[in-house]
Amino acid sequence: MEDKVYTAADLKRRERANRAMFWTMIRGAILRRRSRAIMAVIASLVGAATLFVLVMVCIVVPAQMTEEMRAYGANLVVTSNQTGATENGIQKDMVEHTTEMVRATGFGETHATYRYDTVRVNSASYQMAGINPNEVRSMNKFWDVTGSWPSAENQVLIGTDVAERLSVKIGQSITVGYVEDDAVNTILDTEGTRMQVVGTVSTGGNEDSMLYVTNATLDALTGQNGQSGQNGQSRGADVIEYSSEASGADLDKLVTNINDMKSMNVTAQAVSKISQANASIIAMLTTLFWIISLVIVALTLVGVSTTMTSIVSQRRNEIGLRKALGASNRSIAVEFYVESALYGVAGGLLGVLVGSGVAWVLIRTVFDRETSVNVGLGAACVAVAALIAVVASILPVRKASRIDPAVVLREE
């Protein structure tokens, strides 16, 4: 008897028929065991949703923590070397140049300049800072200010220690004197400028023992209002404080870049207490979230694996019959893997939808931030859910491949 010769068209029809039969068997297996299929989908759904929420939080938390830490003041301080370009303080153009270097790192920043002078109040010496109130208020949100910030000439904001020592309250006035040469400062000298106390500040730090006025008020007090100092320049700032979003290695690199510019005649220094705390807290929280994510993945593996083991046990007779009819272990394994992957994809899609809603509510209510749909993250979670489902099926599939058709048929 001659062997039948199959044409290319016959092979294509046969391939289409086999493919149709394959998907028919997959569909039948899912529909006949809907309860098990739903359990597998739910296991993937919970895993994908939790993973999506955790990763979204991991994306949001570092930005949120950095923003919160920035509220505790500067993490970068630039001071004048009192030589060369900064011999008479850090001038406006140098402040702008330094700020451009900070912004060039790609991180956001806020900054404030301070000019310090020693003044007398009731013949006692205090340090007074000339500031831009809007800059300082924007950067130092942790300052507890009672009353208002100085906004007009001869208004002063004083630290709580100064207020207690002078026994003055908001609304009262103090006489502030300035003598450029401390050697001629007479203890009994009470001359000076009357300034109104418009507010008090409490931080628990050095700020409590200082006085703050606008730069214009300090210029007028020190006799530099409209005048020029050394090199024809008016007195500049002594310190620029930056609250930068840069941290860790990025902040260290920024400090190095500024200090390497010798012609700027300034010295940059990172405030390690804030920058290190920021980095360590973010690292700790991120590590915690990833550990939880791994636990969720492991639980999802167990859930899907248990469900697939149950499905294999229920289909034991069917598998034995198919193997007796000539089905290979590979074809049976592929069928189970595809079925598991479908459970994973379905659960992943539903999980991403649920996770998106939970993440939106969580980030908006807990972290008070807006968030948008992250399509890339959603696709990754679906892919991970499908992969987990396939990996979870490895042991059940091996169990299916060891089924002896002769034993199964004998039992029938």
Side-chain angles (χ1 to χ4, degrees), residues 72-91:
Y72 288 92
N75 60 352
L76 173 65
V77 176
V78 177
T79 58
S80 166
N81 292 343
Q82 301 298 324
T83 59
T86 63
E87 184 177 2
N88 201 35
I90 306 175
Q91 301 298 321

Side-chain angles (χ1 to χ4, degrees), residues 61-63 65-66 247 277-287:
V61 164
M65 288 300 302
T66 298
S247 61
N278 185 18
S280 62
I281 291 174
I282 291 175
M284 179 182 65
L285 289 176
T286 303
T287 301

